[in-house]
Amino acid sequence: MGITKKLSKVAKWRSCELVTMWIQSIVNHFHWSVISTPEGNSDLIEAKWTSVANHISNKHCHQNPLYAKCDHRRLRKKWIKADTVAYEKTCNVLLNKRLIKDIRKTSPHGQTSSVESFHSLLNQFAPKMHCFSFDGMISRLKLTALHYNENAGRDIATTKDGKDRCSIVFPKYKKGKYIVRMLPTNITYGYADELMAVLESEARKKGHILRAQAPPKPLCSNYQRPTKRKALKEHRSRFGKKQKTS
């Protein structure tokens, strides 16, 4: 269970409604603790993360010398008072030893968003509800890679006034809350034109034949296949034969 779900569960307790207002700030603090430590210093990441336990109660000086004081300016927020049920339950989540152990290992660089985007794109080129041949699947994998490499990291689209274009969306996981999503420039398909040019060039060569790649043998080809008679003889059903009733 993630930090958001655990804190949302705490917020449902009586006299803990104020925790709801802090969930997004705490999640943002988690991301900041990791990203603001590019060298990946685990001790410094832990010091930044545990400081949030003091921060939510309007205490901005901390015991850990690696991060002894908050960097932000003066804030006006509804603080969670110390020695309350809401504060105690929130700190139990934030200072959980297993959670801190995981946060210490969080990488500020290696994120999986790019891999997830590639897999999502692959599902468009090779939908899972269809079965493709070996050559068809290889071709779709290569097209996916070409399309992703050309369009990944596109610039943000701009309006006529030169301002960045964006849209307001309501993702399901936000449960009614919105996010601002920046709109990238239009998708391009330059790789398709290059592929067609290469195909025409190769096809015009005299005596040149485009050959498909030989598909690999199925995995079961490595096993010795018995005869059907032998297989039926050795077959034993886990269901016993029904006895005839008189």
Side-chain angles (χ1 to χ4, degrees):
M1 186 183 294
I3 300 173
T4 301
K5 289 186 178 180
K6 289 181 179 180
L7 292 176
S8 298
K9 191 175 181 180
V10 170
K12 293 179 181 179
W13 282 76
R14 187 176 181 181
S15 71
C16 296
E17 296 82 3
L18 186 58
V19 178
T20 305
M21 301 177 60
W22 278 95
I23 292 178
Q24 188 58 53
S25 297
I26 292 173
V27 173
N28 292 342
H29 180 80
F30 161 70
H31 291 292
W32 172 83
S33 300
V34 178
I35 295 175
S36 64
T37 317
E39 66 276 7
N41 188 331
S42 300
D43 295 331
L44 182 56
I45 291 175
E46 179 182 350
K48 289 179 177 180
W49 168 249
T50 54
S51 68
V52 73
N54 289 332
H55 175 81
I56 61 177
S57 63
N58 200 19
K59 296 179 182 179
H60 308 290
C61 294
H62 319 294
Q63 295 80 11
N64 197 320
L66 292 178
Y67 189 71
K69 187 178 180 180
C70 292
D71 300 328
H72 58 77
R73 63 182 186 278
R74 187 174 182 180
L75 303 175
R76 293 183 178 180
K77 302 190 71 171
K78 291 185 178 180
W79 308 101
I80 302 177
K81 295 182 180 180
D83 300 328
T84 60
V85 176
Y87 182 78
E88 180 182 354
K89 289 186 176 295
T90 303
C91 287
N92 289 339
V93 174
L94 303 179
L95 303 180
N96 181 273
K97 292 183 178 180
R98 182 174 295 181
L99 175 63
I100 294 177
K101 184 178 179 181
D102 292 339
I103 290 176
R104 286 175 59 88
K105 298 179 180 179
T106 306
S107 170
H109 305 293
Q111 307 300 324
T112 61
S113 56
S114 298
V115 178
E116 293 171 0
S117 298
F118 178 79
H119 289 166
S120 177
L121 181 64
L122 178 59
N123 287 335
Q124 298 182 35
F125 280 87
K128 295 180 179 180
M129 69 280 296
H130 298 294
C131 181
F132 301 100
S133 64
F134 175 79
D135 293 327
M137 195 65 195
I138 290 293
S139 300
R140 284 168 172 79
L141 282 170
K142 292 179 179 179
L143 283 173
T144 304
L146 291 171
H147 185 89
Y148 181 83
N149 290 339
E150 181 171 324
N151 292 283
R154 285 175 288 158
D155 295 331
I156 302 299
T158 56
T159 62
K160 294 180 180 179
D161 300 332
K163 297 180 180 179
D164 293 341
R165 295 186 59 191
C166 62
S167 64
I168 298 176
V169 294
F170 292 83
K172 184 178 180 181
Y173 71 91
K174 284 291 185 178
K175 297 181 179 179
K177 296 182 179 180
Y178 69 88
I179 62 172
V180 177
R181 180 172 295 170
M182 308 307 295
L183 299 178
T185 54
N186 293 332
I187 296 174
T188 59
Y189 300 91
Y191 65 91
D193 297 332
E194 295 180 11
L195 283 176
M196 291 301 298
V198 172
L199 181 62
E200 291 179 3
S201 176
E202 293 294 328
R204 288 172 182 172
K205 292 181 180 179
K206 294 183 179 180
H208 183 79
I209 302 175
L210 296 177
R211 300 183 182 275
Q213 183 178 356
K217 295 181 179 180
L219 295 177
C220 60
S221 63
N222 298 324
Y223 303 106
Q224 185 177 2
R225 188 181 184 87
T227 61
K228 186 176 291 186
R229 179 177 295 182
K230 182 180 178 181
L232 289 173
K233 186 178 180 180
E234 296 177 353
H235 176 70
R236 294 290 184 274
S237 175
R238 65 188 180 93
F239 299 104
K241 292 184 178 180
K242 294 182 179 180
Q243 297 181 355
K244 296 181 179 180
T245 57
S246 55

